Amino acid sequence: MSVTTIHRPLAPAPTETVPSAVDAVTEATDPAEQPVDVLDVDALLTWAAEQPVATIRRLGERTAEGLARLAEHHDRAVAVDVATTRLIEAQLMLARAEAQLRAAKAGTPAPAAEAPGVPQADPGPARRREAGRRARAWAVRNGVDCPDRGLVPKHVLAAYRRAHPEDVDAR
């Protein structure tokens, strides 16, 4: 089993004085500057297995089983993320190749990578929300009917995209 460590803030030692509430307010506390205790999980589980108290031994066993299951779930999630990324990249490459094939059959120049009809990578929910806010603000400035809240209507997004083709997040 590999060595697993957990970082946690140190509690003040019994001989140290604990700062008062006034000191805490006046001093800026940066979590990065606080001392950190490194907990060796494997050593802790070994300690638990060697204890004469059955409750502690069982707690150590359940913790080890839980950590093993958690590691399995983590590995599975990483594998799914990698496979999903590869699938999206392959789908994008296929869409570009199909667009090039259509252009070749029609005798027109091959489309650029950002050609309409060729799917692009999803910019992510935060960037989509921000693009929606920009489209909504643009609609208000230009007198396009758009609700104040909720989803931005498709006709508003389409008009915004036509007016701002450089905004790649508004797809």
Side-chain angles (χ1 to χ4, degrees):
M1 183 180 265
S2 66
V3 175
T4 308
T5 58
I6 297 175
H7 298 282
R8 60 183 180 171
L10 279 173
T15 58
E16 295 179 2
T17 58
V18 177
S20 69
V22 174
D23 293 337
V25 170
T26 58
E27 294 180 16
T29 56
D30 182 9
E33 294 176 4
Q34 293 180 354
V36 174
D37 178 23
V38 176
L39 177 66
D40 183 352
V41 175
D42 291 330
L44 187 60
L45 292 174
T46 301
W47 171 84
E50 296 169 350
Q51 292 303 303
V53 180
T55 305
I56 294 176
R57 285 194 314 269
R58 283 192 304 269
L59 181 59
E61 291 167 1
R62 286 195 313 264
T63 302
E65 291 168 2
L67 286 171
R69 285 196 320 266
L70 184 62
E72 289 172 8
H73 285 287
H74 175 264
D75 293 345
R76 193 175 315 132
V78 168
V80 166
D81 288 345
V82 168
T84 301
T85 300
R86 290 180 58 209
L87 176 64
I88 290 170
E89 290 170 354
Q91 288 172 333
L92 290 171
M93 192 165 48
L94 176 62
R96 288 184 195 111
E98 288 173 338
Q100 290 173 347
L101 177 61
R102 282 191 301 276
K105 286 181 177 180
T108 59
E114 304 256 342
V118 178
Q120 304 298 316
D122 184 8
R127 291 177 68 179
R128 281 194 310 273
R129 277 192 301 275
E130 185 58 36
R133 289 185 191 109
R134 288 192 302 269
R136 190 183 310 275
W138 172 85
V140 169
R141 283 192 312 269
N142 291 285
V144 178
D145 186 33
C146 183
D148 293 339
R149 295 187 318 217
L151 293 176
V152 178
K154 290 182 181 181
H155 73 277
V156 173
L157 285 173
Y160 177 76
R161 284 187 208 115
R162 283 191 302 273
H164 298 90
E166 71 282 356
D167 191 351
V168 295
D169 294 338
R171 293 175 193 252

